Amino acid sequence: MSDQHHARAEQLIARERVEGISQAERDWLSTHLQACANCAAHAQETEQALRSLRTAAIPLPAGLASRTQFRVQLRLQEMREREPKRRALWAACAVSWVFGIASAPYVWRLFQWFGERTGVPKLVWQLGFGLWWTIPALFVLIVLLMERVRQGGEPDWMRQSK
Ligand SMILES: [Zn+2]
């Protein structure tokens, strides 16, 4: 079989999909494809490529692009919202620590008074005073840990958008 035949077959395979071919051409092509394994494989590949293209094209107009865009916008908004929240968190921490330092003598006296009133051992109310001091630090630690965990869940968002 000459190269010309294969070239013609290749041309007909492409034209069949795009503009259509005549009955005579179709007959010639099917005869050639039965005799030529190479061209038959090429025809099959073309058919498969077109089919996958067609099936892949279905969800695309169904808003995949806009959905992805929506997610990106949502994410940007989330990041923008988180920034001031973090600043507010640090401000709250600073205030609580300053307040903690300023109120320490009074709190010490309060714990002392409470200890004397209830007869709780000195070590216990002193420990209570120490723990009271760590509460803001613990609070910050918990918030930061929660944020870390939430950030760890981000790949979920990435996976969903695919
Ligand atoms: Zn051929």
Side-chain angles (χ1 to χ4, degrees):
M1 226 174 292
S2 76
D3 284 351
Q4 244 181 329
H5 280 102
H6 301 305
R8 192 186 174 204
E10 203 175 323
Q11 211 179 27
L12 286 177
I13 288 162
R15 268 179 52 204
E16 189 186 14
R17 308 290 163 186
V18 183
E19 51 195 284
I21 53 176
S22 70
Q23 188 58 51
E25 284 171 325
R26 191 168 294 134
D27 288 343
W28 182 90
L29 184 62
S30 67
T31 312
H32 180 83
L33 291 184
Q34 270 166 15
C36 176
N38 266 348
C39 287
H42 173 70
Q44 209 167 16
E45 272 166 31
T46 306
E47 171 68 34
Q48 261 169 5
L50 283 169
R51 200 184 300 142
S52 65
L53 204 71
R54 248 180 275 133
T55 50
I58 291 165
L60 274 174
L64 183 74
S66 66
R67 233 167 32 228
T68 309
Q69 208 174 14
F70 173 71
R71 282 178 196 278
V72 170
Q73 274 172 355
L74 208 74
R75 177 79 188 116
L76 281 173
Q77 203 180 341
E78 199 184 290
M79 276 163 78
R80 243 179 271 134
E81 273 168 10
R82 197 181 285 173
E83 267 321 294
K85 244 188 252 166
R86 178 164 284 193
R87 237 175 284 145
L89 179 73
W90 287 121
C93 283
V95 167
S96 85
W97 271 319
V98 167
F99 178 77
I101 291 162
S103 66
Y106 305 103
V107 174
W108 176 267
R109 247 173 270 160
L110 186 76
F111 271 85
Q112 197 174 29
W113 173 82
F114 181 78
E116 281 164 6
R117 269 313 274 276
T118 57
V120 169
K122 203 177 173 189
L123 188 74
V124 172
W125 67 258
Q126 278 176 351
L127 208 73
F129 175 77
L131 283 174
W132 186 84
W133 258 85
T134 61
I135 286 170
L138 278 174
F139 177 73
V140 172
L141 198 74
I142 287 165
V143 170
L144 286 179
L145 277 175
M146 274 165 73
E147 211 155 294
R148 185 74 46 90
V149 167
R150 244 193 313 168
Q151 276 170 357
E154 266 172 13
D156 265 332
W157 170 84
M158 304 274 278
R159 248 177 269 136
Q160 271 172 9
S161 68
K162 268 172 197 166

